[in-house]
Amino acid sequence: MTENRGLVDAIIKFNTQTSGRDKLFRLIQYVAKFVWGTFEARQQYPEVVLRLKSLDGALGKVRKSLRLANSLARLKEALDTIHLSDLVLRLSITITKINQAIYLGIDHLCWANDIGLLKLQKDHWSQLASRFWLITILLNLIRDVYEYYLIWIEFLYQKSKNIPDNNIAKRLSFLKMAACDKPLFLDTVKNCADLLLPLHSLGRVNMPLPGVGLVGVISSAVNLLQAIKPELRLIYT
Amino acid sequence: MDSTSRDSRLIRDVIKYNSNVVARDKLNRIVQYTSRMIIWYVKDAKDMQTLLFRMQKLEAAMATSRKLFRMFNSIEFFVKALDAANEKDGVVRLFSAVGMAGKGIWLFFDHILWFNKIQMMKVDSRWQQMSSWAWLCGVFALLIRDVRKLHMLHVHAIDVSNLEMKQSSESMRHLRRQVEATQLEFVKDFCDLFIPLAALGYANPGIAAAGGMLSSAIGIKQEWSKIVAVSK
């Protein structure tokens, strides 16, 4: 009973957060993309394809306007993470946040351009936004690799501590230790999936649309899960 | 407190404010109605066509994104209508329930209108009319509720002063806060009344836009005190 209450409370809290709504819309957007991409590839249900395409486009536009002022939030977070004790984490996370802030700033300009408030070269600026997005994801992955490196160090230390007792040493496994860190695992899955999206929009990777949709669904689902259950979120993301 | 820490506290508060859905919506609302006001003002000015074009695009973008943003919030209004059964006074109970139900119906139609706008569905112009009527009835009912609440608070205040009871300053402050909150709510609902009136053609769009701006500003103040001031 208390577990149900906890979940209901989490959903209510999630419902009041702007970032939560954004993650939900992202999931719906990529599901729509996956479905219409699949139908279009098979040349089935043209009516459904048209409607889902409109939904996909509309959700993308709305999410852009929802993200307005998020660049400020990222800069503020960067000012906090600049005080972290671990040097590598301090550098990687702070630079990631600054990079995200720049990406979002360019995204705001693209939004203003889309709705006609500004007149910019659409292709150039959206490509620039995709580039910064790509760098953000790469920086996130660097942080994930570093966290796995720390687990590796811990594993070696545990192993060296237990050399006299062969049984414990045998049962220790790096993969088991790594799998125990659920937030890190989820974050790595999310970043690996996310990596393909800007690569596709920059034309570096040739992916069919259903594939793009699927990859987006995976990363959005993980994002959504982490939003509902904050204990699954990697710290400072 | 020096100015840099005051600025950083303000930024932190703005970010906290922005992260709440209802609060963010009020911000988008004031932008939407301000651009509507500008559109009404420069509509016929021949040398302001670029501004007119940009404001129209901004207003359309804000309106559409707000419609999606509050998707399924109609359920919340229906829940509030049911909660109105807990009100002690009969008049407040009735008009609260009617008001919230009206707003819930309006928002439900609004969801359908969004699906129509993004061409996922096709509905005719009657839905827009029905949506405006539902909103009008809802807001009107809430206005009557606000007036009744103010009347009851006024009577309570007279009773308190008549009985010459030693009321603690705390309870007097609480009463004063309630009166101020209800007065603010009344002004907000009164301003909101003009928006559906203009949509149905009974009022000037400029007045509706001004009303929308004022009610959004009040909404921002209310949300700010709920989200930011409470945590202090």
Side-chain angles (χ1 to χ4, degrees):
Chain A
M1 186 68 164
T2 38
E3 277 174 18
N4 284 341
R5 182 79 224 182
L7 182 63
V8 167
D9 284 340
I11 289 178
I12 290 173
K13 181 159 191 258
F14 165 83
N15 223 18
T16 61
Q17 299 284 343
T18 319
S19 58
R21 286 277 163 108
D22 178 57
K23 292 178 168 64
L24 181 65
F25 292 158
R26 190 180 193 249
L27 180 65
I28 297 171
Q29 183 183 359
Y30 279 105
V31 166
K33 206 182 276 254
F34 172 66
V35 172
W36 77 250
T38 314
F39 286 164
E40 196 173 60
R42 295 187 192 170
Q43 291 176 339
Q44 289 175 318
Y45 310 112
E47 187 64 35
V48 175
V49 166
L50 243 120
R51 288 180 186 198
L52 287 179
K53 250 189 193 171
S54 318
L55 181 65
D56 179 6
L59 278 170
K61 284 204 181 94
V62 170
R63 278 184 57 229
K64 259 201 172 74
S65 70
L66 241 131
R67 286 201 283 257
L68 286 174
N70 273 9
S71 49
L72 195 69
R74 295 291 158 268
L75 281 176
K76 186 77 180 64
E77 283 169 24
L79 283 174
D80 292 331
T81 58
I82 215 164
H83 301 297
L84 285 176
S85 46
D86 185 311
L87 175 69
V88 177
L89 280 182
R90 192 192 320 161
L91 278 176
S92 68
I93 297 174
T94 309
I95 294 176
T96 308
K97 296 234 177 268
I98 295 173
N99 197 67
Q100 259 182 319
I102 298 173
Y103 156 63
L104 285 167
I106 298 174
D107 192 60
H108 300 335
L109 291 174
C110 289
W111 173 80
N113 188 35
D114 275 341
I115 68 160
L117 276 179
L118 290 175
K119 254 206 181 80
L120 300 167
Q121 266 187 314
K122 186 177 174 162
D123 286 334
H124 167 74
W125 284 93
S126 58
Q127 283 240 337
L128 196 63
S130 295
R131 285 207 184 101
F132 274 99
W133 186 20
L134 180 63
I135 297 171
T136 308
I137 299 168
L138 286 171
L139 286 168
N140 278 333
L141 277 170
I142 289 172
R143 185 256 172 107
D144 290 337
V145 166
Y146 178 69
E147 297 266 9
Y148 277 121
Y149 168 72
L150 289 177
I151 296 180
W152 174 254
I153 300 287
E154 177 65 24
F155 163 69
L156 290 177
Y157 170 68
Q158 292 284 345
K159 207 159 184 187
S160 67
K161 226 175 55 170
N162 287 305
I163 275 179
D165 193 337
N166 223 2
N167 275 334
I168 297 179
K170 265 195 206 158
R171 264 184 278 148
L172 272 177
S173 150
F174 169 67
L175 283 174
K176 257 195 215 147
M177 283 181 78
C180 278
D181 195 339
K182 286 202 190 94
L184 179 59
F185 174 70
L186 283 175
D187 200 62
T188 315
V189 165
K190 188 178 69 175
N191 288 325
C192 289
D194 265 340
L195 191 64
L196 294 166
L197 296 168
L199 285 175
H200 167 80
S201 55
L202 287 169
R204 301 287 168 91
V205 147
N206 212 351
M207 265 175 85
L209 264 171
V212 172
L214 187 63
V215 150
V217 166
I218 294 171
S219 89
S220 304
V222 170
N223 238 336
L224 199 61
L225 182 66
Q226 288 177 324
I228 296 178
K229 287 195 166 186
E231 64 267 22
L232 290 175
R233 226 171 79 175
L234 195 61
I235 201 164
Y236 302 122
T237 46
Chain B
M1 186 176 293
D2 56 301
S3 63
T4 40
S5 58
R6 237 184 295 139
D7 288 339
S8 97
R9 242 205 18 217
L10 177 65
I11 292 173
R12 198 188 60 209
D13 289 341
V14 166
I15 290 171
K16 184 161 192 221
Y17 178 85
N18 251 348
S19 69
N20 182 288
V21 160
V22 179
R24 183 66 166 274
D25 183 60
K26 299 273 181 266
L27 215 57
N28 290 344
R29 194 176 194 256
I30 204 172
V31 171
Q32 180 186 348
Y33 284 107
T34 310
S35 43
R36 237 191 236 190
M37 180 66 148
I38 296 174
I39 290 168
W40 171 77
Y41 194 69
V42 305
K43 208 170 35 166
D44 295 318
K46 290 205 174 63
D47 53 343
M48 298 267 208
Q49 290 305 306
T50 327
L51 178 64
L52 179 66
F53 175 74
R54 287 180 180 181
M55 285 297 113
Q56 280 170 334
K57 285 274 178 154
L58 179 62
E59 201 268 338
M62 281 287 125
T64 316
S65 72
R66 276 189 65 226
K67 274 184 165 51
L68 175 64
F69 203 29
R70 51 186 190 213
M71 192 56 67
F72 305 124
N73 275 7
S74 46
I75 302 171
E76 217 179 283
F77 280 118
F78 289 126
V79 169
K80 280 194 184 155
L82 290 171
D83 280 343
N86 295 331
E87 294 283 347
K88 297 190 201 85
D89 181 63
V91 177
V92 172
R93 205 182 317 148
L94 172 67
F95 285 102
S96 230
V98 169
M100 290 299 168
K103 275 195 153 177
I105 295 170
W106 155 67
L107 203 55
F108 175 72
F109 286 165
D110 199 60
H111 301 332
I112 295 178
L113 287 169
W114 180 77
F115 283 114
N116 179 47
K117 204 162 211 176
I118 66 155
Q119 290 159 356
M120 263 203 96
M121 273 174 74
K122 250 200 182 76
V123 296
D124 61 37
S125 58
R126 272 182 310 162
W127 287 83
Q128 177 66 55
Q129 288 249 330
M130 287 194 291
S131 156
S132 300
W133 274 112
W135 193 8
L136 184 63
C137 295
V139 172
F140 193 65
L142 290 177
L143 257 180
I144 297 178
R145 177 203 67 174
D146 293 333
V147 168
R148 174 69 180 177
K149 261 188 169 170
L150 276 172
H151 171 76
M152 280 169 58
L153 283 168
H154 182 66
V155 162
H156 180 66
I158 290 178
D159 280 344
V160 158
S161 64
N162 272 350
L163 289 171
E164 285 174 22
M165 277 160 55
K166 274 231 173 93
Q167 289 294 319
S168 66
S169 60
E170 181 60 44
S171 65
M172 285 312 285
R173 236 180 292 145
H174 179 70
L175 187 63
R176 203 169 297 134
R177 268 203 298 265
Q178 275 187 300
V179 170
E180 280 169 4
T182 314
Q183 283 173 335
L184 214 57
E185 192 68 31
F186 173 79
V187 173
K188 191 175 82 162
D189 288 332
F190 184 72
C191 292
D192 270 341
L193 201 62
F194 292 100
I195 305 169
L197 279 175
L200 292 165
Y202 298 119
N204 188 309
I207 298 207
M213 279 168 68
L214 187 56
S215 75
S216 307
I218 294 173
I220 290 172
K221 180 180 186 311
Q222 287 175 327
E223 292 301 321
W224 183 270
S225 42
K226 247 191 259 175
I227 294 162
V228 171
V230 148
S231 57
K232 294 210 165 125

